[in-house]
């Protein structure tokens, strides 16, 4: 062995000496070759392609026009090897001075590299369940990175919490597991872990701005979702809800490219909710008044002649909704050389809201730099700065738009605003609120990471990184005295400021070695520490002399509001380790463990330990598989098991706390403190254990890839507020009780087919998940939360209410009136089922489970068709089997004549219309939540349709351009659903009460045109 090693060393010295000699000798040139490399389908030039003469080291890189030139000592003929990321490597025989080479896109290779926790691996070597978002999905959105996940990844359910521009989305990876803790995934952006919680000082009314909306989607290179425990256990206490790894774009060697992208579009509300016009409302009010006081006659509100003169009245939805514009400007510069690579970008995005005086703006910039300092050391910086501005619709606005009677006016005869609903139900004029109320937020986010790598030994790499995430939030509200909300206070201004500061240090050692060409080993060990601090302050005043200064002069208010302030901190220290081993690319084994110490838990339970193991078998590498290799090109079996945690409960939950209170002693007001929480020294992690088994299959020359996973995920030690003895002085305490299970199947099919000039790339995914509560604290069988029930054996998000049983008829009052829930039943009342069998109906005793917000399955189907210079992209997504609590419908079916109502009121029960299923009008109904207001939320949506065209090279080269692309994009244009509300894709984000649609800002549909120019 030693002899062989000496021979190799002497041979290496000989080669080096030849190289030195060659540098001092003028090279011999026997041939010159010029060429261009283009895309086989689009015919566009491909920059950055490596062109090498087979058998020697001489190679060149194509320029921005796809051109290359060789001067070589090789004589014709010879063979070129042409390779580029995302394309099939090609060998080309050359016997002339010029050649054009066409490369074919390789979808498999585009998905080869999988970004995982603290590193990367190839898809063929990966043992866990992870999925990378397609390039088409990444290009389909300009709003936020989460929207790229909609319909793109099996087992990832993405639902809007509000259509408000800049608002967030609710994401569940393989179902929700926590009841009171967080259920959102962990985001890791260029190595920096972030939990996407709202950043607000508490002043703003309405949906807070989504912190992730500060990230420009055009800066994103890839998004990988880690789903099983083997993938997420390396993130320990934060991996229970899945991990979304985001990598931003980097520069490329020997290529400089400048790209400008512009788009302009318009949006409008997808649909309106059907409510009564002025004539219909007037008849409803007449009927409600008559029901209460028959002696007053049938036209106690307006006569038939007056109603005939009304017309449609005010359509409050039309007055508030508008056709809104969106625009996006994106400039990026990438380039570099063999030592340094850079990517610089700037973005301006402006989205007007479809409700007047709402909108979102983002101004952002990013710099990514990677530099090779020496043969052993590397250095990098990722830095982004963004400012977002939001004009937010106040809470209750959408409810007021639906409820305001159409006979009410926006303005009085003197030009002042009509202040409020003129009838008994009190809510303000929503148009006055929109026009005059100020409700704004400004967020500034700076996120950066600096890292260095050093090759300690030949196969041992040390990486040290430091990062910071700084978020400054300012919220301002002003309620003028000219609208109803400001009448009592005579104008009210509030200002809130909050600051979130998070820093991170990570230190890892990675050892990589291949032994005897068959044993591949990769070992990772590391120590990380992360700390975060948040502070906030709010202040305000009332009783303004006028509204001119708004919130800009708090001292102009005569009454100062009590200011509030606070500060909280948390810290996390972690040790982590992972081992990857494979034998001959056939048998794979992965093991990892992470130990996390969190400040959020009790002093007896600060540390948690999260191990995982995984194994895979690449069957197609076996000799016995050869007879099938012509049909099945790749076949891998995977399995994994591991533990992850959840620490998202807020700060200081394990400690006893005090809150300040005001009390009157004599004629003086004093400040004191009262206990608000009992300590729990044993409060610990929610622990999730997950088993996964999967198959990866490639057929038809790897043109079709199929991935199938089955999993079971069980979460125990749930963080729940449970009842404790009153003798403690408290009613409840946050403790570790109960468990929830999710189990399901996921299927993904990727295809890449081509026929001549036509190519079709597709991704289909479907996921089935069954959620179930296994146990609750203190041996409880169920807990109720308003219209929801948390029950052992049932899934989270179960609706709890009465079951309707028809309409009471005149002849049945004596026998069935007891099932209306009214003390004095009347014909036309709604009947309800007697669930407990006691011979009567009561709202408290006769409720049952009447639906569930969990879907039976979700799916997505993306398609990309390419023909010459044309591209057509279609993304379809859907959800089947989920129910929605239509709170808007419940309010609109009170039929009390005090507020507007659904058009179903036109079919309300009357003696002349007894066969209806719609109850009578009455002035003072007792609201009963029932299955009438739980609707099927299933839908199929064409989420994105994009048609683009790449201008011919012969045309654009006259303007010294590399590429020009025109595109037309439609979003949410077509939706198939039976849901009667604004939109079926809706939730409030809660685990206990998801799927509730009450006053949520509606979803928009949009169309836009864009232009992309590359220099």
């Amino acid at each position: 062995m030693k002899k062989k090693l000496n021979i190799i060393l002497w041979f290496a010295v000989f080669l080096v000496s030849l190289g030195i000699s060659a540098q001092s000798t003028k090279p011999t040139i026997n041939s010159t070759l010029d060429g261009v490399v283009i895309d086989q389908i689009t015919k566009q030039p491909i920059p950055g392609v490596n062109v090498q003469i087979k058998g020697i080291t001489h190679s060149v890189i194509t320029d921005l026009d796809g051109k290359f030139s060789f001067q070589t000592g090789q004589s014709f003929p010879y063979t070129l090897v042409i390779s580029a990321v995302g394309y099939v490597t090609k060998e080309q025989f050359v016997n002339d001075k010029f050649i054009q080479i066409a490369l074919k896109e390789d979808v498999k290779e585009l998905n080869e590299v999988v970004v995982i926790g603290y590193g990367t691996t190839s898809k063929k070597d990966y043992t866990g369940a992870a999925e990378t978002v397609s390039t088409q999905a990444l290009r389909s959105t300009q709003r936020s990175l989460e929207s790229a996940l909609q319909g793109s990844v099996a087992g990832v359910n993405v639902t809007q919490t509000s259509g408000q521009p800049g608002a967030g989305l609710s994401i569940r990876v393989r179902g929700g597991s926590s009841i009171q803790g967080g259920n959102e995934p962990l985001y890791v952006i260029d190595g920096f872990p972030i939990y996407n919680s709202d950043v607000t000082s508490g002043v703003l009314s309405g949906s807070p701005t989504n912190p992730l909306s500060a990230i420009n989607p055009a800066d994103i290179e890839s998004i990988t979702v880690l789903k099983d425990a083997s993938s997420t256990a390396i993130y320990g206490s934060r991996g229970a809800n899945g991990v979304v790894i985001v990598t931003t774009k980097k520069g490329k060697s020997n290529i400089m490219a400048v790209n400008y992208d512009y788009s302009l579009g318009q949006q409008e509300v997808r649909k309106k909710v059907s409510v009564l016009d002025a004539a219909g409302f007037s008849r409803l009010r007449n009927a409600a008044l008559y029901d209460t006081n028959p002696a007053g006659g049938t036209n106690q509100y307006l006569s038939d002649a007056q109603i005939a003169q009304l017309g449609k009245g005010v359509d409050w939805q039309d007055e508030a909704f508008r056709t809104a514009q969106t625009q996006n400007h994106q400039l990026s510069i990438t380039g570099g050389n063999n030592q340094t690579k850079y990517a610089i970008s700037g973005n301006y995005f402006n989205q007007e809201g479809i409700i007047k005086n709402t909108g979102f703006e983002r101004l952002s910039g990013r710099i990514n730099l990677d530099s090779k300092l020496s043969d052993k050391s590397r250095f990098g910086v990722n830095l982004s700065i963004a400012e977002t501005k939001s004009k937010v619709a106040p809470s209750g606005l959408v409810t007021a738009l639906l409820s305001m009677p159409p006979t009410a006016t926006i303005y009085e005869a003197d030009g002042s605003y009509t202040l409020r609903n003129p009838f008994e139900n009190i809510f303000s004029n929503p148009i006055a609120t929109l026009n005059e109320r100020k409700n704004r937020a400004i967020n500034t986010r700076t996120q950066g990471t600096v890292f260095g790598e050093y090759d300690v030994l030949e196969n041992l790499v040390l990486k040290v990184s430091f990062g910071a995430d700084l978020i400054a939030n300012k919220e301002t509200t002003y309620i003028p005295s000219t609208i109803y909300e400001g009448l009592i206070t005579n104008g009210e201004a509030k200002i809130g400021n909050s600051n979130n500061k998070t820093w991170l240090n990570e230190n890892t050692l990675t050892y990589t070695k291949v032994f005897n060409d068959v044993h591949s080993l990769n070992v990772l060990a590391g120590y990380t520490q992360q700390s975060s601090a948040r502070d906030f302050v709010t202040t305000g005043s009332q009783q303004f002399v006028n509204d001119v200064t708004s919130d800009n002069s708090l001292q102009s208010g005569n009454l100062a509001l009590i200011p509030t302030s606070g500060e909280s901190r948390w810290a996390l220290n972690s040790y982590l380790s992972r081992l990857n081993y494979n034998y001959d690319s056939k048998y794979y084994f992965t093991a990892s463990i992470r130990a996390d110490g969190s400040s959020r838990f009790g002093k007896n339970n600060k540390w948690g330990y999260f191990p995982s193991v995984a194994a895979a078998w690449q069957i197609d590498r076996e000799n016995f598989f050869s007879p099938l290799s012509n049909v099945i090109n790749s076949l891998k079996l995977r399995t994994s098991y591991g533990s992850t945690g959840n620490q998202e409960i807020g700060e200081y939950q394990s400690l006893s706390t005090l809150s300040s209170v005001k009390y009157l002693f004599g004629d003086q007001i004093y400040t004191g403190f009262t206990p608000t929480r009992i300590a729990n020294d044993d409060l610990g992690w929610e622990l999730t254990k997950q088993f996964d088994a999967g198959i990866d299959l490639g057929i038809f020359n790897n043109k079709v890839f199929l991935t199938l996973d089955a999993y079971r995920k069980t979460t125990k030690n749930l963080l729940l507020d449970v009842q404790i003895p009153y003798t403690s002085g408290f009613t409840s305490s946050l403790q570790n009780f109960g468990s929830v299970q999710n189990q399901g199947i996921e299927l993904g099919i990727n295809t890449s087919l081509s026929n001549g000039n036509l190519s079709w790339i597709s991704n289909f995914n479907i996921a089935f998940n069954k959620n179930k509560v296994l146990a609750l604290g203190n041996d409880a069988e169920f807990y109720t939360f308003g219209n929801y029930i948390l029950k052992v054996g049932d899934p989270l998000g179960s609706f709890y209410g009465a079951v309707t049983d028809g309409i009471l008829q005149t002849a049945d009052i004596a026998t069935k009136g007891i099932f209306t829930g009214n003390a004095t039943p009347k014909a036309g009342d709604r009947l309800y089922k007697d669930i407990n069998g006691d011979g009567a109906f009561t709202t408290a005793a006769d409720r049952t489970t009447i639906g569930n917000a969990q879907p039976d399955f979700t799916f997505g189907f993306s398609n990309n068709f390419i023909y010459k210079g044309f591209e057509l992209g279609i993304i379809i997504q859907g959800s089947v089997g989920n129910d929605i609590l239509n709170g808007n419908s419940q309010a609109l079916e009170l039929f009390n004549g005090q507020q507007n109502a659904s058009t179903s009121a036109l079919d309300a029960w009357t003696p002349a219309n007894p066969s209806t299923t719609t109850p009578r009008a009455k002035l003072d109904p007792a609201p009963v939540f029932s299955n009438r207001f739980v609707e099927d939320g299933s839908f199929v949506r064409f989420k994105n349709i994009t048609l683009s065209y790449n201008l011919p090279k012969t045309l654009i080269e006259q303007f010294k351009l590399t590429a020009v692309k025109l595109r037309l994009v439609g979003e949410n244009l077509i939706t198939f659903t039976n849901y009667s509300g604004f939109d079926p894709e809706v939730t409030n984000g809660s685990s206990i009460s998801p799927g509730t649609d009450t006053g949520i800002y509606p979803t928009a549909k949009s169309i836009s045109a864009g232009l992309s120019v590359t220099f």
Side-chain angles (χ1 to χ4, degrees):
M1 181 67 186
K2 185 176 179 181
K3 183 177 181 181
K4 290 182 179 179
L5 182 60
N6 287 332
I7 293 173
I8 292 173
L9 290 173
W10 279 109
F11 183 65
V13 172
F14 174 69
L15 290 178
V16 172
S17 66
L18 286 179
I20 296 173
S21 176
Q23 290 180 14
S24 60
T25 304
K26 187 175 181 179
T28 301
I29 300 175
N30 291 326
S31 65
T32 300
L33 173 67
D34 294 312
V36 61
V37 181
I38 63 173
D39 185 287
Q40 180 176 303
I41 303 299
T42 65
K43 309 304 181 186
Q44 297 297 308
I46 308 174
V49 179
N50 186 75
V51 183
Q52 180 178 353
I53 298 177
K54 188 174 183 179
I56 68 172
T57 59
H58 192 177
S59 65
V60 293
I61 303 293
T62 60
D63 62 16
L64 288 176
D65 295 322
K67 297 177 181 179
F68 67 91
S69 181
F70 260 121
Q71 288 184 335
T72 176
Q74 300 293 309
S75 300
F76 290 123
Y78 47 78
T79 300
L80 297 178
V81 179
I82 307 98
S83 60
V85 175
Y87 290 88
V88 176
T89 299
K90 183 176 184 178
E91 293 190 2
Q92 182 78 44
F93 182 76
V94 180
N95 195 22
D96 201 353
K97 294 183 179 181
F98 179 82
I99 189 170
Q100 178 174 285
I101 303 166
L103 293 185
K104 179 181 177 182
E105 190 176 22
D106 185 356
V107 176
K108 179 177 182 293
E109 186 171 346
L110 286 173
N111 292 318
E112 273 289 308
V113 176
V114 178
V115 182
I116 59 174
Y118 305 96
T120 61
T121 187
S122 63
K123 191 170 181 65
K124 67 181 181 64
D125 292 340
Y126 194 51
T127 57
E131 193 165 344
T132 301
V133 176
S134 67
T135 303
Q136 182 189 350
L138 286 175
R139 295 185 303 193
S140 69
T141 181
Q142 298 171 341
R143 296 190 302 274
S144 67
L145 69 88
E146 304 111 304
S147 57
L149 297 172
Q150 289 180 294
S152 300
V153 179
V156 179
N157 191 18
V158 183
T159 310
Q160 290 191 142
T161 57
S162 172
Q164 166 80 43
L169 299 105
S170 174
I171 297 180
R172 297 292 181 267
V173 178
R174 292 185 168 180
S177 298
S178 184
I179 295 175
Q180 288 184 230
N183 273 291
E184 300 296 314
L186 178 72
Y187 294 86
V188 180
I189 301 173
D190 286 332
F192 198 108
I194 293 171
Y195 189 81
N196 192 38
S197 55
D198 291 332
V199 177
T200 176
S201 61
V203 166
L204 197 71
S205 174
S207 300
T209 303
N210 173 19
L212 287 180
S213 63
I215 298 173
N216 175 20
D219 287 339
I220 297 174
E221 180 71 31
S222 69
I223 299 177
T224 302
V225 181
L226 309 182
K227 297 185 287 187
D228 72 324
S230 174
S231 305
T232 61
I234 199 69
Y235 290 102
S237 63
R238 296 174 291 180
N241 301 317
V243 180
V244 178
I245 298 183
V246 179
T247 303
T248 57
K249 294 177 179 178
K250 305 297 190 293
K252 295 183 173 71
S253 298
N254 302 318
I255 304 173
M256 179 178 178
V258 179
N259 176 265
Y260 172 69
D261 190 285
Y262 170 71
S263 66
L264 179 66
Q266 66 177 33
Q267 316 165 91
E268 59 185 29
V269 66
R270 194 189 71 83
K271 65 170 286 190
K272 291 166 53 181
V273 172
S274 297
V275 293
L276 296 175
D277 61 12
F281 171 77
S282 298
R283 295 188 183 97
L284 174 67
R285 181 159 177 80
N286 277 338
L289 293 170
Y290 176 77
D291 181 79
T292 300
N293 180 26
T298 57
N299 292 90
Q300 299 177 40
Y301 174 49
L302 293 176
S303 67
D304 290 339
Q306 289 173 316
I307 292 174
Q309 298 296 319
L310 288 175
K312 298 291 185 180
V314 177
D315 188 322
W316 294 91
Q317 293 180 76
D318 280 350
E319 294 294 332
F321 293 134
R322 65 177 174 180
T323 299
Q325 283 194 346
T326 63
Q327 61 173 309
N328 186 69
H329 300 264
Q330 170 75 18
L331 178 65
S332 62
I333 304 171
T334 60
N337 53 37
N338 291 333
Q339 280 72 43
T340 302
K341 303 173 186 177
Y342 60 87
I344 305 170
S345 69
N347 171 252
Y348 174 73
F349 175 69
N350 187 343
Q351 180 185 8
E352 294 180 340
I354 56 173
I355 293 179
K356 294 176 182 178
N357 203 27
T358 64
F360 172 79
E361 286 184 88
R362 176 180 62 231
L363 182 64
S364 67
R366 176 177 291 275
I367 298 176
N368 288 345
L369 178 70
D370 296 278
S371 182
K372 184 179 180 181
L373 302 179
S374 68
D375 290 340
K376 288 190 173 185
S377 58
R378 295 159 296 280
F379 168 82
V381 176
N382 301 309
L383 176 65
S384 68
I385 302 174
E387 180 182 80
T388 63
K389 297 180 180 180
S390 300
K391 293 189 289 186
V392 179
S395 299
L397 179 84
V398 174
T399 299
L401 288 175
L402 298 177
S403 301
M404 197 72 170
T407 55
T409 59
I410 300 174
Y411 300 99
E412 300 288 358
D414 62 0
S416 63
Y417 284 110
T418 298
L419 294 178
R420 55 168 287 253
N421 173 26
F423 306 114
E424 292 85 344
N425 280 11
I426 299 176
F427 44 84
S428 60
N429 178 345
I431 303 304
T433 300
L434 274 178
N435 290 343
E436 305 300 330
R437 183 170 178 174
K438 184 176 180 180
N439 194 44
R440 300 178 182 178
I442 299 176
N443 289 331
T444 303
R445 185 168 200 165
T446 303
Q447 185 184 7
T449 304
V450 179
F451 67 89
E453 291 183 339
Y454 182 73
D455 297 338
V456 180
L457 299 172
E458 181 181 358
N459 300 300
L460 184 64
V461 178
L462 170 66
K463 182 176 181 179
V464 178
S465 66
F466 294 91
D469 184 24
L470 312 176
I471 305 177
N473 163 264
K474 180 181 180 181
E475 297 173 351
T476 58
T477 68
Y478 186 74
I479 306 174
S481 58
T482 53
I483 64 175
Y484 180 73
E485 302 97 307
L487 273 182
I488 297 177
T489 61
N490 199 38
E492 179 181 87
K494 288 183 180 180
I495 298 176
N497 288 280
S498 66
N499 293 281
N500 286 53
K501 301 175 182 179
T502 305
W503 64 265
L504 171 74
N505 166 235
E506 295 185 334
N507 311 272
T508 60
L509 276 170
T510 305
Y511 178 77
T512 305
K513 180 72 173 178
V514 178
F515 300 93
N516 299 328
D517 296 327
V518 293
H519 301 281
S520 296
L521 184 66
N522 177 276
V523 180
L524 169 76
Y527 169 71
T528 76
Q529 49 187 337
Q530 187 170 1
S531 181
S532 181
R534 174 182 179 266
D535 62 78
F536 74 93
V537 60
T538 67
T539 186
S541 58
Q542 297 175 345
Q543 302 296 329
F544 284 81
V545 176
N546 57 56
D547 298 319
V548 174
T549 58
S550 182
D551 60 287
N552 296 311
S553 180
L554 295 181
Q555 64 272 22
S556 298
N558 292 322
L559 178 62
L561 300 177
I562 297 175
T564 62
S565 64
E567 182 179 11
S568 61
R569 297 173 181 270
W570 62 265
L572 187 71
N573 285 346
S574 309
Y575 298 90
L576 57 98
S577 179
R578 181 177 59 213
L579 180 147
N580 288 322
Y581 167 79
N582 84 71
Y583 173 75
D584 199 22
S585 297
K586 293 180 184 179
Y587 314 112
Y588 299 84
F589 175 77
T590 300
S592 70
I593 187 169
R594 177 166 177 143
D596 278 336
S598 174
S599 63
R600 293 182 171 180
F601 294 100
K603 64 181 182 181
N604 299 332
N605 227 343
K606 292 289 187 188
W607 284 89
Y609 302 90
F610 308 96
S612 75
V613 293
W617 179 22
Q618 195 75 38
I619 303 176
D620 60 274
R621 294 273 298 176
E622 300 287 358
N623 292 331
F624 66 78
F625 196 81
S626 297
L628 299 174
S629 60
N630 290 332
V631 179
I632 302 176
N633 309 113
S634 64
L635 176 62
K636 181 166 68 175
L637 301 181
R638 297 176 282 104
T639 187
S640 66
Y641 181 79
S643 299
T644 48
N646 186 357
Q647 68 158 7
E648 296 304 324
I649 59 169
E651 295 81 31
Y652 312 128
Q653 297 295 308
S654 68
L655 304 177
S656 58
T657 56
L658 300 174
S659 293
S660 62
V661 294
K662 304 292 183 182
Y663 65 95
L664 185 65
F665 189 77
D667 58 354
Q668 298 291 322
I669 296 177
Y670 294 89
T671 299
F673 290 88
T674 182
T676 53
R677 182 185 297 120
I678 190 171
N680 182 358
D681 293 340
D682 296 319
L683 187 68
W685 316 91
E686 287 186 345
L687 185 64
T688 296
K689 295 184 177 181
Q690 184 175 182
F691 170 80
D692 182 280
I695 300 174
D696 298 329
L697 175 69
I699 57 177
F700 306 130
N701 294 322
N702 286 327
K703 293 180 179 178
V704 178
F705 280 90
L706 181 148
T707 300
L708 179 66
D709 279 271
Y711 62 88
R712 174 174 289 178
K713 184 171 70 168
T714 303
T715 303
K716 63 180 184 178
N717 298 333
L718 292 177
L719 296 162
L720 289 173
D721 273 314
V722 298
Q723 292 182 349
I724 58 177
Y726 289 108
T727 53
S728 67
F730 299 87
T731 58
S732 64
S733 171
L734 186 64
Q735 299 183 22
N736 294 107
F737 276 112
S739 61
V740 170
Q741 183 185 90
N742 287 276
Q743 58 183 356
I745 297 174
E746 300 166 351
L747 173 65
I749 302 175
N750 298 325
T751 64
S752 176
L753 306 174
S754 62
N755 183 11
N757 290 323
L758 177 64
S759 290
W760 173 37
I761 302 169
S762 71
N763 173 283
F764 174 78
N765 67 80
I766 187 169
F768 302 82
N769 183 74
K770 186 175 181 180
N771 176 276
K772 181 169 64 174
V773 177
L774 299 180
L776 295 171
N778 289 338
D779 297 323
E781 287 298 315
F782 67 91
Y783 291 107
T784 59
F785 303 87
N787 295 328
Y788 287 82
I789 184 169
L790 190 63
K791 184 179 180 181
V792 175
D794 286 355
L796 297 173
S798 294
F799 303 116
Y800 192 57
V803 179
T804 60
D805 197 23
I807 301 296
L808 180 65
Q809 302 298 328
T810 303
D812 300 325
I813 293 177
T815 56
K816 294 185 178 181
I818 198 168
F819 300 114
T820 64
N822 297 325
T824 307
K826 290 181 65 175
D829 286 341
R830 195 184 293 279
L831 293 169
Y832 300 96
K833 289 187 177 181
D834 175 19
I835 300 298
N836 66 357
D838 64 356
F841 170 79
T842 58
T843 303
D846 290 304
R847 292 189 294 172
T848 187
T849 302
I850 55 175
N852 187 265
Q854 303 278 354
D856 294 333
F857 63 90
T858 57
F859 66 91
F861 188 27
S862 66
N863 300 269
N864 196 29
F865 302 94
I866 304 172
Y867 180 75
K868 295 185 177 179
F870 290 93
E871 294 184 40
L872 175 63
I874 301 173
I875 300 178
I876 302 170
Q877 68 169 123
S879 177
V880 176
N882 59 295
D883 295 317
I884 297 175
L885 192 166
N886 192 339
N888 295 329
S889 177
Q890 183 177 11
L892 294 174
E893 289 200 1
L894 290 175
F895 301 156
N896 58 11
Q898 300 175 13
Q899 62 185 46
N900 207 359
S902 166
T903 52
S904 62
L906 299 174
D907 192 37
W909 186 96
T910 65
N913 185 34
S915 301
T916 182
T917 58
T918 305
R920 66 184 171 94
K922 50 184 174 180
L923 195 62
D924 189 22
V928 177
F929 174 64
S930 69
N931 61 322
R932 170 67 184 88
F933 310 113
V934 175
E935 300 184 37
D936 181 12
S938 302
F939 71 92
V940 177
R941 163 170 288 161
F942 283 75
K943 177 198 170 191
N944 183 279
I945 303 174
T946 301
L947 177 63
S948 59
Y949 177 66
N950 296 285
L951 269 60
K953 176 69 175 176
T954 54
L955 175 63
I956 63 175
E957 65 183 4
Q958 301 177 36
F959 302 96
K960 307 298 183 183
L961 301 175
T962 302
V964 176
K965 176 180 284 190
L966 306 174
R967 68 178 179 274
L968 189 65
V969 181
E971 293 188 73
N972 300 335
L973 294 182
I974 304 171
T975 302
F976 301 99
T977 183
N978 292 323
Y979 180 59
S980 65
F982 284 115
D983 193 80
E985 190 183 352
V986 63
T987 186
N988 62 3
S990 167
S991 298
I992 296 175
S993 56
T996 299
D997 184 9
T998 301
I1000 292 178
Y1001 194 115
T1003 298
K1005 60 181 180 180
S1006 66
I1007 188 167
S1008 63
L1011 168 69
S1012 177
V1013 180
T1014 303
F1015 303 88

